[in-house]
């Protein structure tokens, strides 16, 4: 797969996701309601769709049509978006900007943002339950999304993130924080793709994808920390320098900028190694890892 | 069924729910996490378990063992509890007390309360997906809970509730508000019981239960409004007089106290009428309607 073919596939899958998300909003988040409008504002307001694309790519790699996993991919984006809205709220990170626009609570007020995010997480499970997959696959999808997004996954990561604002984190603690906060949903992404394709947890393919996703999540987070000190607010669409302002432990405070770069490369190498046995059908995921490593925003 | 038999059954089912909720917390809301502790504090801190009991009663009435619906009943209580935590937060109703104790955000802080409620709603769907019912039944349960708790159900009711704090509501608007805010989950309660028993939506039994639940939800809300002006904070375990303080439209402001009593009785009569064709097996639900009508807290 050439880089250009990768880019075309990426654009096609992100576009497919975007279009389906809009249709799902019409079905589950009525435009007449203010919550529906606020949810759409945040959900359809851009974003890289990394998680959705991972779900589609994993489904195709697992031997099915990528489109079979489209609703699972969209549900995951809905859950991710709800977590961003709550994360931006004044009692959490108190961020006024997201994806280059006012964050949901700045635009609609706190009460509406709170409930709009609640509507998104509820709709995410509703979308899974109505997807055109077998009942067994849909049940597995609900289990995966709840586990990845719940108190043993992403939400526990958010708790650790709050905790380590006041307590300094060591290396193991920072890795654990991000394995939950970011990693759990990245792993859920590839597992949802497998669930749509009917590939069971104990298969070599699925185990390899989970190992890849765990490493990719760390690459993603380390690069996030790097960009927070090297990029600009205009480029990122959200405030930079906030970690340093909050005196937070990051991969930069632990390793320094150069060390963080090396750490990201190390996890990228591990992500690629996880794909070794999968041959050329994993090329898309290899190129995606490279792109996430080198991203500037 | 005598009143004493009703009370025994009610106590048994509420106790069964309480015990199962504690076990589900151990599985899905780890005690080591602060979110887990906050979620337990709110979830296991009392409550009448009206919704859970309705699910169990509907399941038994529909011809199955009430215990078959126990996990569905617990999931519904988890979702209800999450909505109360978010509803109590400063950006919403800003209530400091719930069930006679400090509300979750007063006890654990806003960030933890926000995320603890998020953990509860996620766990609710996880519990449904892992219940010991057929995959088809569990999928239906996820659909029912998401519809009842989402932007076409309870959350839309919460939006209307916020909206009518600043705009005066008429009778039709108040009924619509409560049909969503309270009614949607009460209807979901009996439908979840039917889903556990394998009774389809187009059956006479299920249709009768849905009509009963819709009327019961209104009785419940009207009595809530009555108690807000006639009870004490000690008796209710939450502040009274808050509706008048907020200059809110209630069934009292619309009909007066005597008129509200009559309105509650009218909806109670309609709830009972819905059960007419179901014979003695609906006795528990008849006695429950009477108790909710006459409750003092």
């Amino acid at each position: 797969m050439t880089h250009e073919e990768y880019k075309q596939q990426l654009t096609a899958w992100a576009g497919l996701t975007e279009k389906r998300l809009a249709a799902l909003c019409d079905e589950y988040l009525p435009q007449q309601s203010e919550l529906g409008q606020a949810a759409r504002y945040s959900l359809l307001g851009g974003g890289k769709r990394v998680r959705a694309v991972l779900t589609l790519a994993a489904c195709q790699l697992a031997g099915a049509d990528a489109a079979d996993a489209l609703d699972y991919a969209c549900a995951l984006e809905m859950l991710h978006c709800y977590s961003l809205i709550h994360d931006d709220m004044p009692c959490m990170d108190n961020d006024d900007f997201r994806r280059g626009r006012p964050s949901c609570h700045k635009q609609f007020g706190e009460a509406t943002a709170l409930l709009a995010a609640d509507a998104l997480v509820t709709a995410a499970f509703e979308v899974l339950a109505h997807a055109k997959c077998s009942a067994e696959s849909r049940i597995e999808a609900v289990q995966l999304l709840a586990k990845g997004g719940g108190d043993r996954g992403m939400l526990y990561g958010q708790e650790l993130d709050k905790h380590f604002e006041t307590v300094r984190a060591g290396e193991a603690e920072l890795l654990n924080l991000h394995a939950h906060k970011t990693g759990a949903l990245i792993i859920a992404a590839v597992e949802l793709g497998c669930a749509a394709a009917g590939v069971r947890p104990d298969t070599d393919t699925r185990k390899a994808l989970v190992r890849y996703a765990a490493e990719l999540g760390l690459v993603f987070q380390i690069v996030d920390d790097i960009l927070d000190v090297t990029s600009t607010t205009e480029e990122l669409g959200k405030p930079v320098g906030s970690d340093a302002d909050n005196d937070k432990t990051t991969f930069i405070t632990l390793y320094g900028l150069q060390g963080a770069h090396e750490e990201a490369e190390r996890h990228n190498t591990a992500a690629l190694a996880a794909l070794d046995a999968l041959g050329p059908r994993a090329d898309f995921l290899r190129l995606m890892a490279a792109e996430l490593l080198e991203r500037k925003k």
Side-chain angles (χ1 to χ4, degrees), chain A:
Chain A
M1 178 176 258
T2 65
H3 187 74
E4 194 169 335
E5 284 165 346
Y6 162 77
K7 276 288 182 190
Q8 275 172 4
Q9 182 63 270
L10 182 72
T11 307
W13 278 342
L16 198 64
T17 303
E18 217 58 47
K19 201 173 147 193
R20 182 64 183 151
L21 281 173
L24 290 169
C25 282
D26 290 340
E27 205 159 344
Y28 299 110
L29 298 159
Q31 199 136 27
Q32 311 87 284
S33 83
E34 207 191 341
L35 301 189
Q37 289 166 37
R40 280 157 197 261
Y41 171 84
S42 290
L43 182 66
L44 307 177
K48 292 181 282 290
R49 307 300 180 207
V50 170
R51 291 158 191 79
V53 168
L54 277 173
T55 299
L56 299 177
C59 182
Q60 187 180 76
L61 187 151
D65 188 343
D68 292 351
L70 185 55
D71 281 5
Y72 292 1
C74 288
L76 183 58
E77 288 291 332
M78 289 169 133
L79 185 123
H80 173 57
C81 180
Y82 121 91
S83 78
L84 298 180
I85 295 174
H86 281 177
D87 222 28
D88 284 342
M89 285 183 65
C91 68
M92 296 286 296
D93 289 355
N94 197 17
D95 278 327
D96 289 354
F97 286 93
R98 169 70 66 182
R99 294 173 180 168
R101 303 193 301 167
S103 46
C104 194
H105 69 277
K106 290 303 281 184
Q107 187 73 15
F108 292 93
E110 276 187 61
T112 299
L114 174 70
L115 297 178
D118 289 351
L120 277 167
V121 66
T122 314
F125 287 106
E126 196 164 14
V127 166
L128 293 181
H130 285 282
K132 302 236 169 308
C133 295
S134 72
E136 283 73 17
S137 166
R138 284 178 283 160
I139 282 296
E140 193 191 355
V142 172
Q143 292 170 348
L144 287 168
L145 192 68
K147 189 178 162 215
D151 193 26
R152 280 135 43 247
M154 179 191 73
L155 289 173
Y156 184 55
Q158 288 182 287
E159 172 181 332
L160 292 175
D161 201 32
K162 290 302 287 178
H163 176 70
F164 288 116
E165 278 176 7
T166 48
V167 180
R168 191 150 283 280
E171 182 176 354
E173 291 163 321
L174 195 66
L175 286 172
N176 186 45
L177 187 169
H178 291 301
H180 287 89
K181 192 175 180 205
T182 313
L185 278 200
I186 302 273
I187 289 172
V190 296
E191 292 216 272
L192 284 167
C194 290
V199 169
R200 305 295 312 157
D202 55 2
T203 57
D204 289 342
T205 299
R206 185 149 161 183
K207 286 189 209 160
L209 286 171
V210 167
R211 280 199 306 278
Y212 163 82
E215 298 293 343
L216 191 76
L218 287 170
V219 173
F220 194 82
Q221 188 55 50
I222 298 169
V223 173
D224 242 28
D225 285 358
I226 293 172
L227 291 174
D228 191 62
V229 297
T230 60
S231 187
T232 62
T233 299
E234 292 67 42
E235 213 166 354
L236 280 188
K238 62 181 180 183
V240 296
S242 57
D243 295 339
D245 291 352
N246 295 332
D247 195 27
K248 254 177 136 164
T249 309
T250 69
F251 289 104
I252 309 296
T253 62
L254 275 185
Y255 305 126
L257 189 55
Q258 180 56 32
H261 273 294
E262 286 163 17
E263 201 58 18
E265 299 216 8
R266 204 175 64 73
H267 288 292
N268 180 57
T269 304
L272 295 180
L275 301 176
D276 269 353
L278 299 179
R281 68 192 163 124
D283 275 353
F284 181 87
L285 294 179
R286 291 186 185 98
L287 288 161
M288 193 167 182
E291 196 195 6
L292 291 178
L293 179 67
E294 286 151 26
R295 74 193 166 101
K296 300 289 172 228
K297 62 178 188 175

